[in-house]
Amino acid sequence: MDSLDLSQKRVVVTGGAGFLGRQVVNQLIQAGAAPERITIPRSRDCDLRRWDHCQQATANQDIIIHLAAHVGGIGLNREKPAELFYDNLMMGAQLIHAAYEAGVEKFVCVGTICAYPKFTPVPFKEDDLWAGYPEETNAPYGIAKKALLVQLQSYRQQYGFDGVYLLPVNLYGPEDNFDPRSSHVIPALIRKVHEAQIEGKQQLPVWGDGSPTREFLYSEDAARGIVLATRRFSGPEPVNLGTGYEISIRDLVELICDLMEFDGDIVWQTDKPNGQPRRCLDTRRAKALFDFEAQVSFRQGLQNTIDWYRQHAAVLQPV
């Protein structure tokens, strides 16, 4: 499709004040969107689990980019599976329907890598999304988000509603969530290493055995991909956003220790869960459909994230 001119569009970014959302707003403005036409609903004023709030959020808008999610790491997934399923399903399903009823021109839904089956051929291809059940600890969240893909496809088929669905791999970057109770692996490890250094500890305990692999996408790259899809893509098929670079948790921990100059011992807590065995995306569809490729190298992205955390650690420490 031709590139969408954003200059006169009224755009809502749910989750726009969050880690990824701030980057998406920046990328929208760089792509020509007018700052005064971008709306960022805040959860304290706009609870997307409520139908009337979804109607208010979508009224008189042209584009909805849905990033808002109730999300966390393995710990939160195990502790609150019901909340993760209900909150994410209700937010997305109602927002999509409200956007359709309001005559919104374009809906961009950001899904999750957790939607893929536990055992998926690597690299993950979008066509394998329905080839099995997700990894158990991720399943309530992943299935709730995957249901939104079905909703968008069916609304396109029945109503001609232009909704697209993107599957970003694990994100990381400055301003990430570093709260140890709910953070994902990279910010959790950076914080853990930093605190070990501050406290003079020579051992670093890490969940699992280090064997799982992951792929990580720098938040600025992810945001650029989302905005490219908003402007250039219109179709029913889900699209992966990633780098195609796979790294084991063991190598990740060693790299973070190297970049942070931590020379203590890594202690693998093999009684703790590993999560999904492997994660790496096939990224060819995004390149073919809207010319997206990641630009920030993993080492540079990690260094940027570490630098940001160290600058802000003092205010982030209390939990």
Side-chain angles (χ1 to χ4, degrees):
M1 66 177 289
D2 293 334
S3 188
L4 193 64
D5 179 2
L6 298 176
S7 60
Q8 299 302 311
K9 301 298 184 187
R10 291 158 299 185
V11 186
V12 172
V13 184
T14 72
F19 160 55
L20 175 60
R22 285 191 286 266
Q23 297 284 353
V24 169
V25 170
N26 289 340
Q27 293 289 328
L28 282 167
I29 293 167
Q30 287 186 39
E36 66 274 13
R37 290 176 176 264
I38 298 173
T39 301
I40 303 169
R42 301 303 296 267
S43 57
R44 61 176 177 266
D45 308 312
C46 181
D47 184 346
L48 296 175
R49 296 171 299 182
R50 288 181 49 174
W51 170 243
D52 57 329
H53 285 193
C54 289
Q55 289 178 302
Q56 292 165 21
T58 55
N60 303 309
Q61 299 295 329
D62 300 309
I63 299 169
I64 310 292
I65 300 178
H66 180 44
L67 307 174
H70 186 178
V71 62
I74 290 178
L76 187 70
N77 281 320
R78 296 171 84 196
E79 183 186 348
K80 297 184 174 180
E83 286 182 30
L84 291 171
F85 180 82
Y86 180 85
D87 289 355
N88 288 293
L89 181 66
M90 297 307 291
M91 283 194 293
Q94 294 192 119
L95 193 67
I96 290 168
H97 191 70
Y100 155 68
E101 287 199 337
V104 165
E105 183 181 333
K106 182 95 176 241
F107 194 104
V108 180
C109 186
V110 176
T112 172
I113 190 73
C114 299
Y116 272 101
K118 180 175 183 177
F119 298 105
T120 306
V122 178
F124 293 9
K125 295 180 176 65
E126 293 93 343
D127 293 342
D128 291 330
L129 200 54
W130 297 99
Y133 196 75
E135 195 275 324
E136 291 78 6
T137 56
N138 292 323
Y141 172 65
I143 290 172
K145 296 291 272 187
K146 188 154 60 167
L148 306 180
L149 167 62
V150 179
Q151 184 178 5
L152 288 172
Q153 289 173 330
S154 57
Y155 277 48
R156 180 181 291 275
Q157 182 181 343
Q158 185 172 344
Y159 305 133
F161 183 64
D162 187 11
V164 302
Y165 189 89
L166 306 174
L167 286 154
V169 76
N170 299 53
L171 303 179
Y172 74 103
E175 301 184 321
D176 204 340
N177 169 26
F178 289 86
D179 184 334
R181 296 168 299 188
S182 57
S183 58
H184 286 105
V185 61
I186 286 179
L189 287 169
I190 290 172
R191 178 173 180 143
K192 193 174 280 193
V193 171
H194 178 79
E195 290 181 347
Q197 290 175 313
I198 294 294
E199 295 165 15
K201 293 180 179 175
Q202 287 303 304
Q203 289 194 328
L204 186 75
V206 182
W207 276 26
D209 62 13
S211 65
T213 65
R214 293 291 180 265
E215 174 186 348
F216 299 96
L217 181 62
Y218 193 58
S219 55
E220 185 179 314
D221 273 335
R224 198 169 45 79
I226 290 164
V227 173
L228 276 172
T230 302
R231 295 172 59 215
R232 299 185 186 179
F233 174 54
S234 177
E237 62 269 48
V239 184
N240 288 334
L241 294 181
T243 62
Y245 172 70
E246 184 179 15
I247 186 171
S248 72
I249 297 298
R250 183 174 294 276
D251 289 343
L252 170 66
V253 173
E254 290 174 356
L255 178 55
I256 288 174
C257 288
D258 178 47
L259 290 172
M260 296 183 73
E261 298 181 337
F262 176 77
D263 54 8
D265 297 322
I266 299 164
V267 180
W268 296 101
Q269 297 177 305
T270 54
D271 59 323
K272 302 290 189 182
N274 272 328
Q276 193 163 21
R278 291 181 71 187
R279 275 189 196 160
C280 185
L281 298 184
D282 184 318
T283 57
R284 289 176 293 181
R285 186 176 283 182
K287 172 66 176 170
L289 291 174
F290 46 91
D291 200 28
F292 170 71
E293 284 183 301
Q295 293 178 348
V296 180
S297 75
F298 187 49
R299 191 178 184 94
Q300 184 60 56
L302 272 183
Q303 189 65 64
N304 295 350
T305 309
I306 291 165
D307 292 345
W308 184 89
Y309 179 71
R310 282 179 161 159
Q311 289 166 14
H312 297 85
V315 294
L316 294 171
Q317 286 316 104
V319 297

